[in-house]
């Protein structure tokens, strides 16, 4: 990168060696570590490639309608041009994933029209993948149990400090959570609370029991929404 003068120039050179042309720009504030990718697709934002500080590794990010769609790291700069071109020129996420030689997909699917039901379904797919990649059996079991419950699956899932909560809307600020569920790593159980300062959180042995309690706590104004199975 130093020889080329910037990360963008190094990526252009790598792409030229593969017969590709990339819509890349230098990031003026840190040209050796950052490059900006301009997307030709309206709902896809500009994405970024970043060089790591202490390892020979690069990370690429790409978002659509303010939600992360691709994110992955590689030790080989030559693996990036195909991903960059696919993202910028509108290849499907499946096509981008097939072209990438490293794990790049977040699990979310794109929702160009920002339809709330589809955004919620997309977020659940990300939650499931994230849980399976986390090397945290208790957390994975919790997310999978929550997804298996139709009345929760209709709500938007999100986490704060790895505690699971639910919102009636996918837009921030989220609706006030009616429950927080924690899966302490290695503890073999689950904690249910009504808020960060709940003086008496419940200790629950299994994810199924924790989810049953969460369902019982769905507020009346969300009951009708949560009973509609998004399939």
């Amino acid at each position: 990168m130093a020889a080329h003068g910037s990360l963008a120039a190094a990526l252009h050179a790598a792409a030229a060696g593969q017969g590709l042309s990339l819509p890349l720009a230098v990031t003026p504030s840190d040209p050796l570590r950052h490059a900006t990718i301009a997307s030709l697709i309206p709902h896809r934002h500009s994405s970024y490639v970043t060089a790591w500080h202490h390892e020979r590794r690069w990370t690429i990010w790409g978002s659509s309608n303010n939600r992360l769609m691709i994110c992955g790291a590689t030790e080989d700069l030559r693996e990036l041009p195909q991903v960059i071109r696919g993202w910028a020129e509108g290849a499907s996420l499946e096509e981008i994933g097939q072209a990438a030689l490293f794990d790049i997909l977040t699990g979310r699917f794109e929702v160009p029209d920002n339809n709330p039901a589809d955004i919620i379904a997309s977020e659940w797919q990300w939650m499931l993948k994230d849980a399976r990649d986390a090397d945290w059996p208790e957390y994975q079991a919790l997310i999978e149990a929550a997804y298996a419950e139709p009345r929760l699956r209709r709500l938007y899932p999100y986490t704060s400090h790895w505690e699971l909560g639910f919102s009636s809307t996918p837009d921030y600020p989220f609706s006030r959570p009616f429950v927080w569920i924690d899966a302490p790593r290695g503890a073999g159980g689950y904690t249910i609370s009504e808020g960060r300062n709940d003086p008496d959180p419940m200790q629950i042995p299994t994810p199924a029991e924790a989810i049953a309690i969460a369902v019982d706590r769905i507020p009346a104004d969300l009951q009708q929404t949560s009973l509609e199975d998004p399939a």
Side-chain angles (χ1 to χ4, degrees):
M1 289 186 295
H4 286 285
S6 70
L7 174 55
L11 285 165
H12 277 298
Q18 300 172 26
L20 302 175
S21 177
L22 302 179
L24 275 165
V26 173
T27 304
S29 60
D30 197 351
L32 290 178
R33 291 194 59 246
H34 298 280
T36 303
I37 305 161
S39 174
L40 306 179
I41 309 303
H43 63 270
R44 288 184 179 177
H45 312 303
S46 294
S47 51
Y48 305 91
V49 178
T50 300
W52 288 32
H53 270 294
H54 305 296
E55 294 183 43
R56 187 179 178 82
R57 184 179 285 262
W58 294 268
T59 297
I60 181 171
W61 288 272
S63 297
S64 171
N65 284 340
N66 297 314
R67 289 178 172 83
L68 191 65
M69 294 291 136
I70 61 170
C71 181
T74 177
E75 298 176 354
D76 189 343
L77 192 75
R78 295 169 297 182
E79 294 182 351
L80 290 169
Q82 287 282 1
V83 174
I84 292 170
R85 186 180 72 164
W87 175 260
E89 296 185 357
S92 70
L93 295 180
E94 182 179 0
E95 290 170 334
I96 293 172
Q98 290 173 348
L101 299 177
F102 54 100
D103 187 17
I104 191 72
L105 302 183
T106 63
R108 292 185 177 101
F109 57 84
E110 289 186 285
V111 186
D113 65 354
N114 264 337
N115 177 278
D118 289 338
I119 291 174
I120 290 171
S122 173
E123 195 67 13
W124 273 112
Q125 294 308 305
W126 174 80
M127 293 282 286
L128 290 166
K129 182 181 187 299
D130 184 59
R132 290 163 186 159
D133 292 344
D135 190 25
W136 187 343
E138 300 91 346
Y139 180 71
Q140 179 180 344
L142 173 63
I143 299 302
E144 291 179 348
Y147 180 73
E149 170 49 63
R151 284 167 289 184
L152 294 179
R153 193 165 64 239
R154 188 67 179 180
L155 302 175
Y156 184 81
Y158 66 100
T159 57
S160 177
H161 302 285
W162 294 96
E163 292 184 65
L164 177 63
F166 306 93
S167 173
S168 60
T169 173
D171 298 319
Y172 190 82
F174 303 132
S175 60
R176 185 178 183 276
F178 55 88
V179 68
W180 286 109
I181 311 176
D182 190 20
R185 191 187 294 268
Y190 300 83
T191 301
I192 293 183
S193 59
E194 293 185 357
R196 290 278 174 257
N197 300 314
D198 189 340
D200 190 26
M202 299 176 64
Q203 304 300 319
I204 307 298
T206 70
E209 291 173 274
I211 293 305
I213 292 171
V215 170
D216 286 342
R217 292 189 179 184
I218 297 175
D221 61 332
L222 296 184
Q223 284 289 349
Q224 186 60 41
T225 296
S226 65
L227 284 170
E228 299 173 8
D229 187 355

